[in-house]
């Protein structure tokens, strides 16, 4: 005897061998573009932000998720000539929150630019000359 049960978003249908002997009369339903379980990119078809997009790397959740959402939403919907220039306060709040959790949001350290070998040699030479003069 066939039966069906619902588990969350999934519907599980159990069928018997006899059920499989007759052709299916199932009708396919068009995909719902607003289905929260459907895979979408960053922007949903209706223009909203897909906070579940893996491309956000989990930034929308966690201790600073609300600040991230506020800043990102502001930027996404910004109508300013310099997009997002009206979102400084939201981005500042997000950054301040992230600084409170350095283990979760590591700060990228700025790397020093490699020194120019010519300048480095000149600096070493000047230093050596100063030492020679000082010891004389």
């Amino acid at each position: 005897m066939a039966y069906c049960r619902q588990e969350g978003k999934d519907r599980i249908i159990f069928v018997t061998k006899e059920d499989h002997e007759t052709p299916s009369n199932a009708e396919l339903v068009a995909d719902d573009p607003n289905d929260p379980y459907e895979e979408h990119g960053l922007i949903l078809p209706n223009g909203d932000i897909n906070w579940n997009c893996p491309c956000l790397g989990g930034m929308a959740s966690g201790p600073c998720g609300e600040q991230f959402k506020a800043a990102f939403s502001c930027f996404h919907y910004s109508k300013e000539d310099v997009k997002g220039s009206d979102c400084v306060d939201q981005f500042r709040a997000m950054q301040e929150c992230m600084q409170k959790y350095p283990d979760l949001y590591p700060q990228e350290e700025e790397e020093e630019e490699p020194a120019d070998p010519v300048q480095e040699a000149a600096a070493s030479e000047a230093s050596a000359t100063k030492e020679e003069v000082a010891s004389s």
Side-chain angles (χ1 to χ4, degrees), residues 1 11 15 22 31 33 44-45 52 54-55 60-62 66 73 81 93 95 99-100 102 108 112 118 120 125 133-134:
M1 174 174 187
R11 186 167 51 162
V15 295
T22 58
D31 289 338
L44 296 171
N52 295 320
C55 61
S61 59
E66 292 306 310
S73 293
D81 286 337
Q95 185 178 21
Q99 288 172 345
K100 294 176 187 175
E108 292 184 17
E112 290 183 27
V118 174
E120 200 170 281
E125 195 173 312
V133 170

Side-chain angles (χ1 to χ4, degrees), residues 21-92:
E21 290 175 351
T22 58
S24 173
N25 61 355
E27 293 180 24
L28 296 177
V29 179
D31 289 338
D32 178 5
N34 296 315
D35 181 356
Y37 300 105
E38 190 68 30
E39 289 292 325
H40 293 285
L42 178 58
I43 307 302
L44 296 171
N46 66 2
D48 289 344
I49 299 168
N50 179 9
W51 297 115
N52 295 320
C53 181
C55 61
L56 293 176
M59 292 293 295
S61 59
C64 299
E66 292 306 310
Q67 292 85 342
F68 174 80
K69 287 180 180 181
F72 194 86
S73 293
C74 182
F75 181 83
H76 176 66
Y77 296 112
S78 176
K79 301 283 188 221
E80 294 297 310
D81 286 337
V82 177
K83 188 169 180 82
S85 61
D86 52 336
C87 306
V88 173
D89 292 338
Q90 290 88 338
F91 277 99
R92 183 176 294 122

